[in-house]
Amino acid sequence: MTDPISVTVVAPGVVRLAWTPDHTIDEVRREVASALLTHPRVEVLVAPEDQSAQRTATWSGMHREGVRRGVEADGRSGDRIVYARLATDQPVGEPGGFRALLNSFLPRKRAISQMLIRDESDRVLLCQLTYKSDWDLPGGVVEVGESPAVAVRREVEEELSLDLPAGPLLLTDWLPPWGGWDDALCLVFDGGVLPADALARVVRQEREIAAVRFCTVEEVRARAADFTARRVEAALANLGGGPAYTESGR
């Protein structure tokens, strides 16, 4: 006979379930529904390598919320994936509830928006960043729910006090995992041509930007990381040519 599913109160209004591989998805789903009658939140901690428990948690209607690192669970210390369902969550049988469930565990990709701004001599505007040694194009991370085109205009205004609408998309560059970062997509938009004296209008966000200057391609190669230099050259090569795709600038 299979042991009952463990139900433990871990905080006011919060219960945590634990089950064995012998328990079916239907059994876990019923236990989740029963617990939500008296508690607003039901959760479970699942080991990252336990694919079966992850599937059971998902198809019993529990949303993946993230990873808690270095916790004690099941008599062992390690990382645990947190799944939970709230009494206020939409029923999984409704379209919105099912989409929210899928959205909680499907992969999410970080996006970075940058702007290629040139002067009348085809030099490229680069920023020396305070938090790393190499130079880069102006721009930054796209916020949740924000369009990349809006993001790059916002970042350029915040960093340099230049209000430049994003022009055509020149390049989509995939960045592989590197130095503790997950992979990301970098979108480079055309910022058009500015007069050389436009730098006089720049007001640097000193917390992030140490210096700004227009650079030749050779200067870009000398000042920027190799993958950034490749990205700049790929974007320049695609001016007027429609969106292109590269991986780490190649």
Side-chain angles (χ1 to χ4, degrees), residues 69-119:
R69 298 183 299 153
V71 299
E72 289 286 342
D74 306 321
R76 295 181 295 131
S77 178
D79 295 349
R80 294 292 185 273
I81 303 173
V82 181
Y83 288 85
R85 184 159 185 84
L86 307 182
T88 54
D89 286 340
Q90 282 186 274
V92 177
E94 296 181 3
F98 184 65
R99 287 193 295 267
L101 180 67
L102 292 180
N103 188 62
S104 75
F105 70 84
L106 288 175
R108 300 185 184 189
K109 190 77 70 180
R110 180 178 292 115
I112 300 166
S113 276
Q114 293 185 326
M115 189 174 283
L116 185 76
I117 304 168
R118 294 159 289 132
D119 69 2

Side-chain angles (χ1 to χ4, degrees), residues 5 23-33 56 59-60:
I5 294 172
H23 290 108
T24 67
I25 292 174
D26 284 341
E27 289 173 328
V28 175
R29 185 184 293 124
R30 286 195 295 269
E31 196 63 57
V32 169
T56 298
W59 298 120
S60 63

Side-chain angles (χ1 to χ4, degrees), residues 25-232:
I25 292 174
D26 284 341
E27 289 173 328
V28 175
R29 185 184 293 124
R30 286 195 295 269
E31 196 63 57
V32 169
S34 176
L36 286 173
L37 294 175
T38 53
H39 297 82
R41 175 183 171 90
V42 179
E43 66 180 29
V44 64
L45 304 182
V46 181
E49 65 274 12
D50 192 344
Q51 298 291 328
S52 175
Q54 292 177 48
R55 285 192 296 271
T56 298
T58 298
W59 298 120
S60 63
M62 305 179 84
H63 292 214
R64 177 174 171 143
E65 294 185 338
V67 177
R68 291 182 62 185
R69 298 183 299 153
V71 299
E72 289 286 342
D74 306 321
R76 295 181 295 131
S77 178
D79 295 349
R80 294 292 185 273
I81 303 173
V82 181
Y83 288 85
R85 184 159 185 84
L86 307 182
T88 54
D89 286 340
Q90 282 186 274
V92 177
E94 296 181 3
F98 184 65
R99 287 193 295 267
L101 180 67
L102 292 180
N103 188 62
S104 75
F105 70 84
L106 288 175
R108 300 185 184 189
K109 190 77 70 180
R110 180 178 292 115
I112 300 166
S113 276
Q114 293 185 326
M115 189 174 283
L116 185 76
I117 304 168
R118 294 159 289 132
D119 69 2
E120 293 156 330
S121 299
D122 282 335
R123 295 181 300 174
V124 175
L125 189 145
L126 287 189
C127 299
Q128 183 183 24
L129 305 176
T130 60
Y131 50 86
K132 62 180 182 179
S133 59
D134 45 84
W135 295 53
D136 209 341
L137 293 171
V141 174
V142 181
E143 301 291 346
V144 175
E146 183 180 43
S147 91
V150 168
V152 75
R153 183 171 187 170
R154 171 184 56 77
E155 287 282 351
V156 170
E157 197 281 328
E158 291 175 355
E159 293 177 347
L160 307 176
S161 291
L162 294 176
D163 185 13
L164 301 177
L169 177 65
L170 298 175
L171 186 70
T172 299
D173 186 29
W174 178 72
L175 307 178
W178 175 82
W181 288 102
D182 292 337
D183 70 325
L185 290 175
C186 183
L187 293 88
V188 182
F189 292 87
D190 189 357
V193 176
L194 297 181
D197 63 2
L199 292 186
R201 294 188 278 117
V202 167
V203 180
R204 291 181 292 108
Q205 183 188 56
E206 295 187 0
R207 181 169 51 85
E208 294 189 15
I209 310 298
V212 183
R213 64 172 292 173
F214 283 109
C215 299
T216 65
V217 171
E218 291 72 21
E219 290 171 327
V220 172
R221 292 171 185 158
R223 295 172 182 270
D226 57 353
F227 56 86
T228 299
R230 290 194 299 268
R231 184 186 312 134
V232 170

